[in-house]
Amino acid sequence: MSDVKITFLVQRPPYKSENPKLATTHAMSYQVVEILLEDGQTITPALCYVGEGVLNCLKDQKAMETYGITSTEMHLKNCLLVDMDVYACKEDFDKYGIGEDRIIDADDMGADKKMQIVPFAKIQELMETSTHVMFF
Amino acid sequence: MSDVKITFLVQRPPYKSENPKLATTHAMSYQVVEILLEDGQTITPALCYVGEGVLNCLKDQKAMETYGITSTEMHLKNCLLVDMDVYACKEDFDKYGIGEDRIIDADDMGADKKMQIVPFAKIQELMETSTHVMFF
Amino acid sequence: MKLGVFVSDYKLTVDTLDRLTAEKLGIILVSNGVYHASIKENGKTSSLLDKSANFYALKEDLETRGIDPSGIDSRVKAVNYGDVVDLIMNDYEKLAWL
Amino acid sequence: MKLGVFVSDYKLTVDTLDRLTAEKLGIILVSNGVYHASIKENGKTSSLLDKSANFYALKEDLETRGIDPSGIDSRVKAVNYGDVVDLIMNDYEKLAWL
Amino acid sequence: MATLTIGLFSSLIGSMNYDFALKLADAAKDKGHTVNLWFSGNAASSPQKGQKHLKDYSHGEKPLRALIEKGVEVCTCEACSVARAVQKTTAIEGVKWNAMHWYLAKAYSSDRVLHIGGE
Amino acid sequence: MATLTIGLFSSLIGSMNYDFALKLADAAKDKGHTVNLWFSGNAASSPQKGQKHLKDYSHGEKPLRALIEKGVEVCTCEACSVARAVQKTTAIEGVKWNAMHWYLAKAYSSDRVLHIGGE
């Protein structure tokens, strides 16, 4: 039994580049990675939003209506739905004046998980306890 | 007889994106554009470097030796060789402490033209007297 | 000159817009540029909006990012693609993209 | 943690590097990041170099941009691709790219 | 009615500049203007035929074909395209192939030029 | 000797991150390390065969083939590639096609992961 932790750190706003979205889809793939690993081997992702990256977490993104593509919001909801740990930096929400009412949840999809709003120190700790970090 | 002036404004350093190079090649094509125009119609490009864009103008770029691609320096030399007007912002060279000895020329290729180091006000004037501007 | 500048990013790495002057300046916020119309940092609106210019923000790009066009800064007018075409053709002679 | 950070740009739009801490921090300047090792703005060297870290700059990327590796800031060591591999394998456990 | 030339240098997927340019071209055409569209830089890989339309990704082929159908002139920079392994034989029909002077010549006769060269 | 996995998300031409990743992979392999290379995002258009090698443009096909020859495992994100009209049938031989969990599985067994996801 051996687990490898990976921190996916999103530092940039959505849509300007594909990378913030790819952070969600890459992290999500931990769900199926076992088919390429040995028994008992697992990967645990932590998906973290810091800096302008927290702008990914605004709800009511209408990318499907406006441009016909899946919104970053929908990707994030899917992450919560499969019980992934998703963290966003409290200091940055405060800096941008983003209240909890504007932050994505997946309640309507029946998810138990919520986005975890944490101080940057917690994200630092996640990086320290991870085997690998990936900055998006 | 009618001339259309286009200001090509390069604001970004070389190699990070292809665009600063594409400014030189697009401007250069004024040389052959007459085959698509009527008699007496001409285009006059002004290629201008401002902000971090002036870092394109450093000489001794060894992109061919290191990565096997034509350097931005070589593209700029070719522009001077065909007598294009190339301007760079004096304030920005001063800001970055770049002396004339470090700035590209095409003397070795027999070019008569030199890069014209001008105050930003001159570049502003070029934009004002142009029909179109293209920011790279 | 009558210059329409498309601002497509939030954190700009170029300062050209701060340096140039235009008798008539239009700033059209598109893509991540629309955050300038909506996001306050530490309670302050974007300094871009302090410029002497007419401001527009593309509705589709606001909505894509979860921003309600009716709630943006009062100095900025929400416009759609058709409006942008009219701005380009009727109000500004030269166009720049940042 | 022992963290190696690749800085690939000159004007950074992200501030993550300013916020994180590491017991051992290596900053490897590549692509346009190499300007931090060479360009002074208004006579001042890049504030990046004031960080408590070991600094490296990729020779190939300096030379591509017309910068002589022998003339860079004394706090920065010029390295080649093989050296970068050794830094990755021997000196830093986690790697980040900015 | 006037003429607008759009120069696009961004990739099909990623920045959404591509989506912007196509929607703007469409809106201008709908208002009766003449529209030209030039692809250079990373936009020059976008005339490749056979893009699979997945909902997670921006898609260009269908709207590009619709623009051409509507009479928008679309041209790609040949050198930029072939360096990216896009060949005329496997490219979207109706896209013209030319060199950079095509863009300058269109700019010559355009009332407005929007050069989308950021990134 | 150790294992390095590089994840690359940048386009073939443009940022020079692609050139960097290929040169780093080559240098690591030369030192006897095991190297894996994952293409996603705009890098996923780079396995397209038939890139014309022009001196003005970065070129990936030849160095990529050389890396594969040397034993570097290269894999592209299938969804990212097909959305960009890159098909298996016209892709560079030896490049694997898989989904994102390939990258995570390689990361699992790697001593070092360099994720080049900027831009």
PDB file of all heavy atoms in Angstrom, chain D residues 25-48:
ATOM      1  N   LEU D  25      15.735  26.444  -1.514  1.00  0.00           N
ATOM      2  CA  LEU D  25      15.075  26.967  -2.704  1.00  0.00           C
ATOM      3  C   LEU D  25      16.105  27.201  -3.809  1.00  0.00           C
ATOM      4  O   LEU D  25      17.125  27.853  -3.590  1.00  0.00           O
ATOM      5  CB  LEU D  25      14.374  28.292  -2.361  1.00  0.00           C
ATOM      6  CG  LEU D  25      13.603  28.992  -3.498  1.00  0.00           C
ATOM      7  CD1 LEU D  25      12.435  28.148  -3.986  1.00  0.00           C
ATOM      8  CD2 LEU D  25      13.095  30.364  -3.027  1.00  0.00           C
ATOM      9  N   GLY D  26      15.828  26.632  -4.957  1.00  0.00           N
ATOM     10  CA  GLY D  26      16.676  26.885  -6.120  1.00  0.00           C
ATOM     11  C   GLY D  26      15.845  27.591  -7.171  1.00  0.00           C
ATOM     12  O   GLY D  26      14.709  27.200  -7.425  1.00  0.00           O
ATOM     13  N   ILE D  27      16.395  28.650  -7.760  1.00  0.00           N
ATOM     14  CA  ILE D  27      15.672  29.353  -8.821  1.00  0.00           C
ATOM     15  C   ILE D  27      16.481  29.218 -10.106  1.00  0.00           C
ATOM     16  O   ILE D  27      17.638  29.652 -10.178  1.00  0.00           O
ATOM     17  CB  ILE D  27      15.423  30.825  -8.444  1.00  0.00           C
ATOM     18  CG1 ILE D  27      14.453  30.872  -7.256  1.00  0.00           C
ATOM     19  CG2 ILE D  27      14.871  31.606  -9.638  1.00  0.00           C
ATOM     20  CD1 ILE D  27      14.092  32.263  -6.784  1.00  0.00           C
ATOM     21  N   ILE D  28      15.875  28.544 -11.067  1.00  0.00           N
ATOM     22  CA  ILE D  28      16.560  28.251 -12.324  1.00  0.00           C
ATOM     23  C   ILE D  28      15.939  29.138 -13.393  1.00  0.00           C
ATOM     24  O   ILE D  28      14.766  28.979 -13.742  1.00  0.00           O
ATOM     25  CB  ILE D  28      16.428  26.751 -12.652  1.00  0.00           C
ATOM     26  CG1 ILE D  28      16.971  25.922 -11.473  1.00  0.00           C
ATOM     27  CG2 ILE D  28      17.189  26.409 -13.932  1.00  0.00           C
ATOM     28  CD1 ILE D  28      16.406  24.533 -11.373  1.00  0.00           C
ATOM     29  N   LEU D  29      16.720  30.081 -13.879  1.00  0.00           N
ATOM     30  CA  LEU D  29      16.236  31.042 -14.861  1.00  0.00           C
ATOM     31  C   LEU D  29      16.371  30.458 -16.261  1.00  0.00           C
ATOM     32  O   LEU D  29      17.482  30.097 -16.687  1.00  0.00           O
ATOM     33  CB  LEU D  29      17.025  32.353 -14.746  1.00  0.00           C
ATOM     34  CG  LEU D  29      17.031  32.988 -13.344  1.00  0.00           C
ATOM     35  CD1 LEU D  29      18.050  34.128 -13.263  1.00  0.00           C
ATOM     36  CD2 LEU D  29      15.641  33.479 -12.975  1.00  0.00           C
ATOM     37  N   VAL D  30      15.250  30.327 -16.945  1.00  0.00           N
ATOM     38  CA  VAL D  30      15.239  29.786 -18.309  1.00  0.00           C
ATOM     39  C   VAL D  30      14.381  30.703 -19.181  1.00  0.00           C
ATOM     40  O   VAL D  30      13.659  31.559 -18.672  1.00  0.00           O
ATOM     41  CB  VAL D  30      14.679  28.339 -18.345  1.00  0.00           C
ATOM     42  CG1 VAL D  30      15.552  27.386 -17.529  1.00  0.00           C
ATOM     43  CG2 VAL D  30      13.235  28.291 -17.842  1.00  0.00           C
ATOM     44  N   SER D  31      14.455  30.496 -20.505  1.00  0.00           N
ATOM     45  CA  SER D  31      13.697  31.326 -21.455  1.00  0.00           C
ATOM     46  C   SER D  31      13.875  32.802 -21.079  1.00  0.00           C
ATOM     47  O   SER D  31      14.979  33.213 -20.742  1.00  0.00           O
ATOM     48  CB  SER D  31      12.211  30.942 -21.464  1.00  0.00           C
ATOM     49  OG  SER D  31      12.083  29.605 -21.882  1.00  0.00           O
ATOM     50  N   ASN D  32      12.793  33.579 -21.110  1.00  0.00           N
ATOM     51  CA  ASN D  32      12.938  35.000 -20.814  1.00  0.00           C
ATOM     52  C   ASN D  32      13.200  35.271 -19.333  1.00  0.00           C
ATOM     53  O   ASN D  32      13.480  36.407 -18.953  1.00  0.00           O
ATOM     54  CB  ASN D  32      11.719  35.776 -21.304  1.00  0.00           C
ATOM     55  CG  ASN D  32      11.779  35.996 -22.805  1.00  0.00           C
ATOM     56  OD1 ASN D  32      12.779  35.668 -23.440  1.00  0.00           O
ATOM     57  ND2 ASN D  32      10.726  36.546 -23.380  1.00  0.00           N
ATOM     58  N   GLY D  33      13.155  34.233 -18.515  1.00  0.00           N
ATOM     59  CA  GLY D  33      13.565  34.374 -17.125  1.00  0.00           C
ATOM     60  C   GLY D  33      15.027  34.787 -16.991  1.00  0.00           C
ATOM     61  O   GLY D  33      15.411  35.389 -15.982  1.00  0.00           O
ATOM     62  N   VAL D  34      15.829  34.486 -18.005  1.00  0.00           N
ATOM     63  CA  VAL D  34      17.260  34.810 -17.902  1.00  0.00           C
ATOM     64  C   VAL D  34      17.513  36.320 -17.846  1.00  0.00           C
ATOM     65  O   VAL D  34      18.585  36.745 -17.404  1.00  0.00           O
ATOM     66  CB  VAL D  34      18.109  34.187 -19.048  1.00  0.00           C
ATOM     67  CG1 VAL D  34      17.980  32.662 -19.050  1.00  0.00           C
ATOM     68  CG2 VAL D  34      17.746  34.772 -20.407  1.00  0.00           C
ATOM     69  N   TYR D  35      16.558  37.123 -18.285  1.00  0.00           N
ATOM     70  CA  TYR D  35      16.762  38.585 -18.182  1.00  0.00           C
ATOM     71  C   TYR D  35      16.955  39.017 -16.722  1.00  0.00           C
ATOM     72  O   TYR D  35      17.624  40.017 -16.452  1.00  0.00           O
ATOM     73  CB  TYR D  35      15.579  39.351 -18.794  1.00  0.00           C
ATOM     74  CG  TYR D  35      15.493  39.268 -20.301  1.00  0.00           C
ATOM     75  CD1 TYR D  35      14.355  38.763 -20.925  1.00  0.00           C
ATOM     76  CD2 TYR D  35      16.547  39.703 -21.115  1.00  0.00           C
ATOM     77  CE1 TYR D  35      14.260  38.695 -22.317  1.00  0.00           C
ATOM     78  CE2 TYR D  35      16.464  39.629 -22.503  1.00  0.00           C
ATOM     79  CZ  TYR D  35      15.318  39.125 -23.096  1.00  0.00           C
ATOM     80  OH  TYR D  35      15.227  39.064 -24.466  1.00  0.00           O
ATOM     81  N   HIS D  36      16.370  38.265 -15.782  1.00  0.00           N
ATOM     82  CA  HIS D  36      16.558  38.599 -14.363  1.00  0.00           C
ATOM     83  C   HIS D  36      18.038  38.583 -13.979  1.00  0.00           C
ATOM     84  O   HIS D  36      18.442  39.254 -13.043  1.00  0.00           O
ATOM     85  CB  HIS D  36      15.808  37.598 -13.467  1.00  0.00           C
ATOM     86  CG  HIS D  36      14.322  37.713 -13.528  1.00  0.00           C
ATOM     87  ND1 HIS D  36      13.626  38.742 -12.921  1.00  0.00           N
ATOM     88  CD2 HIS D  36      13.387  36.951 -14.139  1.00  0.00           C
ATOM     89  CE1 HIS D  36      12.327  38.592 -13.150  1.00  0.00           C
ATOM     90  NE2 HIS D  36      12.157  37.514 -13.887  1.00  0.00           N
ATOM     91  N   ALA D  37      18.818  37.800 -14.691  1.00  0.00           N
ATOM     92  CA  ALA D  37      20.240  37.670 -14.360  1.00  0.00           C
ATOM     93  C   ALA D  37      21.074  38.774 -14.985  1.00  0.00           C
ATOM     94  O   ALA D  37      22.261  38.910 -14.678  1.00  0.00           O
ATOM     95  CB  ALA D  37      20.761  36.314 -14.836  1.00  0.00           C
ATOM     96  N   SER D  38      20.466  39.582 -15.829  1.00  0.00           N
ATOM     97  CA  SER D  38      21.282  40.474 -16.644  1.00  0.00           C
ATOM     98  C   SER D  38      20.768  41.907 -16.766  1.00  0.00           C
ATOM     99  O   SER D  38      21.552  42.858 -16.783  1.00  0.00           O
ATOM    100  CB  SER D  38      21.384  39.849 -18.053  1.00  0.00           C
ATOM    101  OG  SER D  38      21.759  40.796 -19.002  1.00  0.00           O
ATOM    102  N   ILE D  39      19.464  42.060 -16.856  1.00  0.00           N
ATOM    103  CA  ILE D  39      18.917  43.386 -17.154  1.00  0.00           C
ATOM    104  C   ILE D  39      18.666  44.173 -15.859  1.00  0.00           C
ATOM    105  O   ILE D  39      18.096  43.650 -14.903  1.00  0.00           O
ATOM    106  CB  ILE D  39      17.577  43.245 -17.946  1.00  0.00           C
ATOM    107  CG1 ILE D  39      17.835  42.638 -19.321  1.00  0.00           C
ATOM    108  CG2 ILE D  39      16.874  44.596 -18.074  1.00  0.00           C
ATOM    109  CD1 ILE D  39      18.563  43.518 -20.296  1.00  0.00           C
ATOM    110  N   LYS D  40      19.126  45.402 -15.863  1.00  0.00           N
ATOM    111  CA  LYS D  40      18.809  46.297 -14.747  1.00  0.00           C
ATOM    112  C   LYS D  40      17.761  47.291 -15.212  1.00  0.00           C
ATOM    113  O   LYS D  40      17.852  47.820 -16.305  1.00  0.00           O
ATOM    114  CB  LYS D  40      20.057  47.058 -14.307  1.00  0.00           C
ATOM    115  CG  LYS D  40      21.131  46.172 -13.721  1.00  0.00           C
ATOM    116  CD  LYS D  40      22.355  46.999 -13.322  1.00  0.00           C
ATOM    117  CE  LYS D  40      23.458  46.066 -12.849  1.00  0.00           C
ATOM    118  NZ  LYS D  40      24.671  46.773 -12.455  1.00  0.00           N
ATOM    119  N   GLU D  41      16.788  47.523 -14.360  1.00  0.00           N
ATOM    120  CA  GLU D  41      15.790  48.553 -14.677  1.00  0.00           C
ATOM    121  C   GLU D  41      16.110  49.775 -13.847  1.00  0.00           C
ATOM    122  O   GLU D  41      16.129  49.712 -12.613  1.00  0.00           O
ATOM    123  CB  GLU D  41      14.377  48.060 -14.358  1.00  0.00           C
ATOM    124  CG  GLU D  41      13.780  47.237 -15.483  1.00  0.00           C
ATOM    125  CD  GLU D  41      12.283  47.014 -15.337  1.00  0.00           C
ATOM    126  OE1 GLU D  41      11.547  47.967 -14.982  1.00  0.00           O
ATOM    127  OE2 GLU D  41      11.858  45.876 -15.569  1.00  0.00           O
ATOM    128  N   ASN D  42      16.346  50.882 -14.507  1.00  0.00           N
ATOM    129  CA  ASN D  42      16.742  52.125 -13.823  1.00  0.00           C
ATOM    130  C   ASN D  42      17.902  51.873 -12.864  1.00  0.00           C
ATOM    131  O   ASN D  42      17.933  52.388 -11.745  1.00  0.00           O
ATOM    132  CB  ASN D  42      15.545  52.725 -13.092  1.00  0.00           C
ATOM    133  CG  ASN D  42      14.389  53.018 -14.042  1.00  0.00           C
ATOM    134  OD1 ASN D  42      14.611  53.536 -15.142  1.00  0.00           O
ATOM    135  ND2 ASN D  42      13.171  52.660 -13.663  1.00  0.00           N
ATOM    136  N   GLY D  43      18.842  51.066 -13.326  1.00  0.00           N
ATOM    137  CA  GLY D  43      20.051  50.818 -12.543  1.00  0.00           C
ATOM    138  C   GLY D  43      19.932  49.749 -11.478  1.00  0.00           C
ATOM    139  O   GLY D  43      20.914  49.372 -10.845  1.00  0.00           O
ATOM    140  N   LYS D  44      18.722  49.226 -11.266  1.00  0.00           N
ATOM    141  CA  LYS D  44      18.512  48.231 -10.205  1.00  0.00           C
ATOM    142  C   LYS D  44      18.443  46.821 -10.777  1.00  0.00           C
ATOM    143  O   LYS D  44      17.713  46.572 -11.735  1.00  0.00           O
ATOM    144  CB  LYS D  44      17.166  48.485  -9.506  1.00  0.00           C
ATOM    145  CG  LYS D  44      17.210  49.561  -8.465  1.00  0.00           C
ATOM    146  CD  LYS D  44      15.892  49.495  -7.671  1.00  0.00           C
ATOM    147  CE  LYS D  44      15.659  50.777  -6.903  1.00  0.00           C
ATOM    148  NZ  LYS D  44      14.261  50.918  -6.469  1.00  0.00           N
ATOM    149  N   THR D  45      19.128  45.887 -10.124  1.00  0.00           N
ATOM    150  CA  THR D  45      18.996  44.495 -10.540  1.00  0.00           C
ATOM    151  C   THR D  45      17.610  43.979 -10.128  1.00  0.00           C
ATOM    152  O   THR D  45      16.979  44.531  -9.238  1.00  0.00           O
ATOM    153  CB  THR D  45      20.067  43.605  -9.877  1.00  0.00           C
ATOM    154  OG1 THR D  45      20.010  43.803  -8.468  1.00  0.00           O
ATOM    155  CG2 THR D  45      21.456  43.952 -10.388  1.00  0.00           C
ATOM    156  N   SER D  46      17.193  42.911 -10.756  1.00  0.00           N
ATOM    157  CA  SER D  46      15.873  42.343 -10.487  1.00  0.00           C
ATOM    158  C   SER D  46      15.712  42.005  -9.009  1.00  0.00           C
ATOM    159  O   SER D  46      16.608  41.416  -8.392  1.00  0.00           O
ATOM    160  CB  SER D  46      15.691  41.076 -11.326  1.00  0.00           C
ATOM    161  OG  SER D  46      14.556  40.371 -10.885  1.00  0.00           O
ATOM    162  N   SER D  47      14.577  42.348  -8.445  1.00  0.00           N
ATOM    163  CA  SER D  47      14.314  42.058  -7.032  1.00  0.00           C
ATOM    164  C   SER D  47      14.236  40.554  -6.779  1.00  0.00           C
ATOM    165  O   SER D  47      14.383  40.104  -5.644  1.00  0.00           O
ATOM    166  CB  SER D  47      13.028  42.741  -6.577  1.00  0.00           C
ATOM    167  OG  SER D  47      11.939  42.247  -7.329  1.00  0.00           O
ATOM    168  N   LEU D  48      14.024  39.795  -7.848  1.00  0.00           N
ATOM    169  CA  LEU D  48      14.015  38.335  -7.703  1.00  0.00           C
ATOM    170  C   LEU D  48      15.322  37.842  -7.069  1.00  0.00           C
ATOM    171  O   LEU D  48      15.325  36.901  -6.273  1.00  0.00           O
ATOM    172  CB  LEU D  48      13.826  37.689  -9.092  1.00  0.00           C
ATOM    173  CG  LEU D  48      13.620  36.184  -9.133  1.00  0.00           C
ATOM    174  CD1 LEU D  48      12.245  35.813  -8.601  1.00  0.00           C
ATOM    175  CD2 LEU D  48      13.772  35.648 -10.559  1.00  0.00           C
TER     176      LEU D  48
END
